[in-house]
Amino acid sequence: MLEVTDLHVNYGPVNAVHGVSFAAEAGKITLVLGANGAGKTTSLRAVAGFHKPKSGRVVLDGQEITGTSAHKVVRKGMALVPEGRKIFFPLTVEENLKVGAYVAPRASVDQGLAVVFEKFPVLADRRQSAAGLLSGGEQQMLAFGRALMSQPRLMLLDEPSMGLAPTMVDRVLGSVRAMADEGIGILMVEQNADAGLEIADHVVVVNRGETVWTGSAAEAGGSRAIVHAMLGDA
Ligand code: ATP
């Protein structure tokens, strides 16, 4: 579904990413692990069209989309849920969701809202509340919901568990697994390696701007010591 090969991304003279490769499949979760500053966010943002890669290839369903701008990437069925959620706090839950539909006008707003509210009933209960009043976990669900409004086949999730209490981490990552089980391909960056490994199918480890290991979650789980050593936190 998504094939990213030998991605290089610069910030001016800074070579932030130089050799990141990973893939995502329909109905599966690919977990991207790496220490702070390894280049995970930069890679996700480049794939989603927010940075222009210096080189490398991004292929979605057999079509090369390298360097395609973000609004066009969304229309091709790939949605990014950014680090820090980027919820619009003064807007209501429903208004935040409608922002997600705006970027993909083909999707029916009412149908999209119905799908999101079915998946995340808490958002239906709070639909007229200001989004800034939601808990961190609810805000993360809202960020997922906003992305779902564009009816993506593939979702890129940047640190969904960041800042959440442990019980909320389980709920949020459980909803990620549920989205995958419905057929959506998921590529997820997660600092919480242990929680991420609980739900992942495939694992990619990025270190200092390049992919250093790929394997199944079972292999990574069987050698957590190795994964943690590669992450530099063992
Ligand atoms: P984190 O988990 O801390 O978000 P990350 O793996 O997502 O880390 P990136 O945020 O992609 O890493 O950063 C990769 C490298 O690029 C780092 O060395 C970082 O300092 C650098 N970098 C990130 N954003 C910029 C920027 N806007 N300008 C210059 N350098 C940047």
Side-chain angles (χ1 to χ4, degrees):
M1 169 174 243
L2 176 75
E3 199 82 47
V4 176
T5 316
D6 201 18
L7 198 65
H8 287 57
V9 189
N10 285 7
Y11 293 108
V14 180
N15 190 210
V17 168
H18 46 90
V20 164
S21 299
F22 46 61
E25 281 174 53
K28 303 280 187 210
I29 299 173
T30 301
L31 171 67
V32 182
L33 298 174
N36 284 338
K40 307 176 300 294
T41 295
T42 302
S43 299
L44 243 54
R45 289 178 55 81
V47 169
F50 291 98
H51 295 308
K52 259 209 163 20
K54 187 167 146 255
S55 60
R57 273 166 66 82
V58 180
V59 176
L60 181 65
D61 292 330
Q63 187 192 10
E64 177 154 7
I65 60 160
T66 319
T68 301
S69 53
H71 69 281
K72 290 191 184 142
V73 167
V74 173
R75 295 201 177 121
K76 290 181 186 296
M78 180 159 67
L80 172 70
V81 180
E83 184 174 13
R85 294 157 200 140
K86 305 288 190 287
I87 293 299
F88 303 107
F89 288 158
L91 300 186
T92 66
V93 165
E94 185 170 326
E95 286 164 345
N96 269 276
L97 293 172
K98 285 180 173 168
V99 171
Y102 175 77
V103 292
R106 278 178 305 132
S108 143
V109 175
D110 288 340
Q111 206 185 333
L113 286 174
V115 168
V116 171
F117 289 152
E118 196 203 326
K119 277 196 177 58
F120 301 108
V122 65
L123 298 181
D125 297 342
R126 308 291 302 274
R127 67 193 286 170
Q128 301 305 339
S129 302
L133 299 176
L134 300 183
S135 72
E138 289 164 349
Q139 286 179 12
Q140 185 60 54
M141 292 177 203
L142 178 56
F144 291 158
R146 186 179 54 191
L148 286 169
M149 292 294 286
S150 67
Q151 301 183 337
R153 287 172 289 119
L154 176 67
M155 290 171 78
L156 310 180
L157 313 181
D158 199 350
E159 307 244 6
S161 84
M162 190 163 47
L164 302 183
T167 52
M168 213 22 120
V169 170
D170 289 346
R171 262 185 76 188
V172 162
L173 294 187
S175 68
V176 172
R177 185 69 250 177
M179 292 190 287
D181 290 343
E182 286 179 15
I184 298 176
I186 305 275
L187 184 77
M188 177 174 79
V189 166
E190 188 48 75
Q191 280 285 337
N192 188 338
D194 290 328
L197 282 168
E198 297 282 324
I199 60 158
D201 298 293
H202 305 294
V203 177
V204 176
V205 181
V206 176
N207 188 25
R208 295 171 197 248
E210 53 186 322
T211 295
V212 293
W213 190 86
T214 55
S216 70
E219 286 172 294
S223 57
R224 279 183 194 209
I226 296 172
V227 171
H228 282 288
M230 284 187 286
L231 297 177
D233 63 359

